């Protein structure tokens, strides 16, 4: 569904979240680096993206910038999230909820600055327990790294949003994502050392 169509759901609550990412080349001792992608550990123990519910009558983009400022200390004046960053919308009829998802590319320097500022944000330690970089590699045992990460508990459709974002920004091909999903099911490998 397109953003303009989703805005017709006036009696629904709207929420918006953003995947912040930055290109990152090189490798670590665990695998090849492709990018830095931010997710956060939420108050309920699940992983999700920065963002949240809009206040009544609040514009979605304005509300998203406000939520991200509260949760990770985002400076919306220097690097605003705009409709150019919009990716998708999902309507949850049973809950009268409209979920908007944005993808925002940063430089690695900007990304690192946001990470460093997270503990100083208003909601840190309350709504947000910490930010994490998603491991975008698969280790030698064919389980640890991204396959193991996607076995965590995610809020709502955050896991699907993550995989769609990785494909959309061309960090992973569809075949690579399918391979990661398949490897994530190899739980017997999770006990092997890297």
């Amino acid at each position: 569904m397109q953003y303009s169509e989703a805005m017709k759901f006036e009696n629904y609550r709207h929420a918006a979240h953003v995947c912040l990412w930055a290109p990152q080349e090189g490798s670590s001792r665990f695998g090849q680096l492709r990018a830095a992608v931010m997710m956060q550990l939420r108050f309920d123990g699940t992983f999700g993206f920065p963002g949240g519910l809009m206040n009544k009558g609040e514009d979605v983009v304005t509300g998203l910038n406000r939520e991200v400022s509260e949760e990770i200390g985002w400076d919306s004046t220097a690097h605003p999230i705009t409709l150019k960053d919009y990716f998708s919308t999902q309507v949850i009829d049973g809950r009268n909820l409209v979920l908007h998802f944005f993808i925002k590319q940063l430089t690695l320097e900007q990304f690192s600055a946001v990470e460093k500022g997270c503990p100083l944000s208003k909601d840190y330690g309350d709504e947000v327990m910490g930010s994490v970089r998603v491991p975008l590699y698969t280790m030698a045992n064919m389980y640890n790294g991204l396959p193991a990460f996607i076995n965590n508990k995610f809020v709502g459709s955050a896991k699907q949003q993550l995989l769609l974002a990785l494909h959309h920004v061309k960090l992973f091909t569809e075949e690579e994502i399918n391979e990661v999903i398949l490897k994530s099911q190899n739980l017997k490998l999770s006990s092997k050392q890297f």
Side-chain angles (χ1 to χ4, degrees):
M1 172 179 299
Q2 293 299 314
Y3 182 81
S4 58
E5 295 174 46
M7 298 317 294
K8 296 175 185 172
F9 288 83
E10 294 176 5
N11 295 325
Y12 283 51
R13 295 216 48 201
H14 288 255
H17 295 84
V18 63
C19 172
L20 299 174
W21 77 282
Q24 182 181 26
E25 296 183 15
S27 62
S28 73
R29 63 183 185 189
F30 303 113
Q32 194 68 27
L33 301 175
R34 298 177 186 223
V37 175
M38 181 182 287
M39 293 195 82
Q40 60 188 22
L41 181 60
R42 295 161 29 98
F43 63 93
D44 59 4
T46 63
F47 285 99
F49 290 102
L53 288 168
M54 305 299 98
N55 293 329
K56 188 171 178 120
E58 186 175 35
D59 172 74
V60 170
V61 173
T62 302
L64 177 57
N65 279 286
R66 175 190 51 76
E67 280 285 339
V68 176
S69 173
E70 293 170 358
E71 291 184 358
I72 62 171
W74 179 259
D75 182 357
S76 62
T77 57
H79 309 288
I81 300 165
T82 69
L83 280 177
K84 290 180 184 175
D85 304 309
Y86 171 77
F87 177 68
S88 67
T89 296
Q90 178 184 10
V91 177
I92 313 290
D93 285 316
R95 295 180 55 204
N96 285 11
L97 188 60
V98 179
L99 304 174
H100 305 279
F101 187 58
F102 293 70
I103 302 171
K104 176 83 173 171
Q105 182 177 345
L106 306 174
T107 66
L108 190 55
E109 182 179 87
Q110 291 167 335
F111 187 96
S112 297
V114 172
E115 282 180 315
K116 289 175 185 171
C118 285
L120 304 174
S121 67
K122 174 181 171 271
D123 289 341
Y124 191 85
D126 182 26
E127 282 188 42
V128 179
M129 299 294 114
S131 68
V132 297
R133 283 193 191 195
V134 178
L136 298 182
Y137 46 77
T138 301
M139 294 174 61
N141 71 356
M142 297 298 140
Y143 176 80
N144 289 341
L146 185 56
F149 182 79
I150 66 171
N151 273 330
N152 283 296
K153 181 74 174 156
F154 292 81
V155 65
S157 56
K159 182 193 302 187
Q160 291 81 7
Q161 290 171 332
L162 170 64
L163 296 174
L164 286 169
L166 295 176
H167 181 261
H168 177 73
V169 300
K170 298 181 174 29
L171 292 172
F172 281 74
T173 65
E174 186 176 342
E175 293 77 23
E176 289 173 313
I177 288 173
N178 288 334
E179 188 176 320
V180 165
I181 292 169
L182 182 64
K183 288 175 180 174
S184 75
Q185 297 165 6
N186 291 329
L187 294 176
K188 63 185 178 199
L189 297 175
S190 65
S191 62
K192 293 185 179 180
Q193 295 297 314
F194 48 85

